[in-house]
Amino acid sequence: MTRAIYPGSFDPVTYGHLDIIKRSSTMFDQVIVGVLNNSAKNPLFSAKERVDMLKKATEELVNVEVICFDGLLIDYMKQNDISVIVRGLRAITDFEYELQIAQSNRKVSKETVDTVFLTTSIEYAYLSSSIVREYASYGTDVSDFVPEFVVEKLKKCFRISEA
Ligand code: ADP
């Protein structure tokens, strides 16, 4: 049984992330979506909110589980018997960083961990959580980028912070 982890900030989850989750769920026995709880990043949504949004968006995918982790990814993987990291590649700009992380994860895990890259579906190639946050903060409609319930959460979030 191969268990894979798809780690990220998911602040918030976008259709680009969901595309990678759906595609990887057909490739592995189990896909764990790992929400990185990194307080240094000062996220818009709390780790719990990001986990809840991902759970809702993936509820129909039976072999997908959403968890929250902090600390080193490879430590979490070791403790939970996970051998594959899934990452999405949008553009060449993602590649350099991803290559470095993948190679160092392989080295420090003593070659027990591998990274699998899925290239973005062309319609989501430009999409990132930061673009979504930026547009939403100006009241621009982001319903092409994120599920409807995320649109509502973003609206609430920016209305509250404007008050
Ligand atoms: P971002 O804030 O850039 O959306 P995350 O840290 O949440 O990114 O990203 C988690 C993973 O999802 C990374 O591997 C990232 O490259 C990938 N990813 C993000 N957006 C997309 C997209 N539109 N298409 C494919 N992969 C994506």
Side-chain angles (χ1 to χ4, degrees):
M1 163 146 161
T2 307
R3 304 177 82 207
I5 187 161
Y6 177 40
S9 307
F10 306 104
D11 187 33
V13 59
T14 69
Y15 284 136
H17 297 131
L18 291 173
D19 177 53
I20 300 288
I21 295 171
K22 274 187 205 134
R23 286 159 59 201
S24 56
S25 74
T26 66
M27 299 168 65
F28 302 102
D29 298 304
Q30 195 179 20
V31 173
I32 292 128
V33 182
V35 174
L36 183 60
N37 186 13
N38 182 353
S39 51
K41 264 197 157 183
N42 195 18
L44 179 63
F45 293 106
S46 70
K48 185 183 181 309
E49 287 175 302
R50 286 178 278 146
V51 166
D52 288 347
M53 283 188 271
L54 275 158
K55 279 188 176 162
K56 192 163 176 177
T58 60
E59 63 193 355
E60 274 159 24
L61 301 170
V62 289
N63 63 337
V64 171
E65 191 189 333
V66 185
I67 57 98
C68 178
F69 75 101
D70 47 27
L72 264 192
L73 176 62
I74 58 156
D75 289 341
Y76 181 84
M77 292 176 72
K78 206 173 182 182
Q79 285 152 15
N80 292 278
D81 197 25
I82 304 167
S83 55
V84 176
I85 302 169
V86 173
R87 295 287 286 174
L89 280 182
R90 282 164 293 196
I92 198 77
T93 41
D94 278 343
F95 181 74
E96 245 180 273
Y97 170 75
E98 293 292 344
L99 180 68
Q100 188 185 15
I101 299 287
Q103 288 173 333
S104 49
N105 277 334
R106 183 134 183 87
K107 179 77 183 167
V108 289
S109 71
K110 304 210 171 2
E111 301 185 355
T112 58
V113 156
D114 245 315
T115 304
V116 169
F117 294 104
L118 296 183
T119 51
T120 179
S121 294
I122 203 78
E123 65 266 42
Y124 305 125
Y126 57 85
L127 189 52
S128 69
S129 298
S130 54
I131 282 182
V132 169
R133 292 194 303 273
E134 177 83 2
Y135 279 135
S137 73
Y138 290 104
T140 306
D141 177 26
V142 289
S143 53
D144 281 345
F145 307 147
V146 296
E148 199 48 45
F149 68 89
V150 178
V151 174
E152 292 311 314
K153 270 201 82 94
L154 281 161
K155 276 186 190 159
K156 238 190 240 167
C157 182
F158 286 110
R159 228 181 282 136
I160 288 164
S161 61
E162 275 163 20

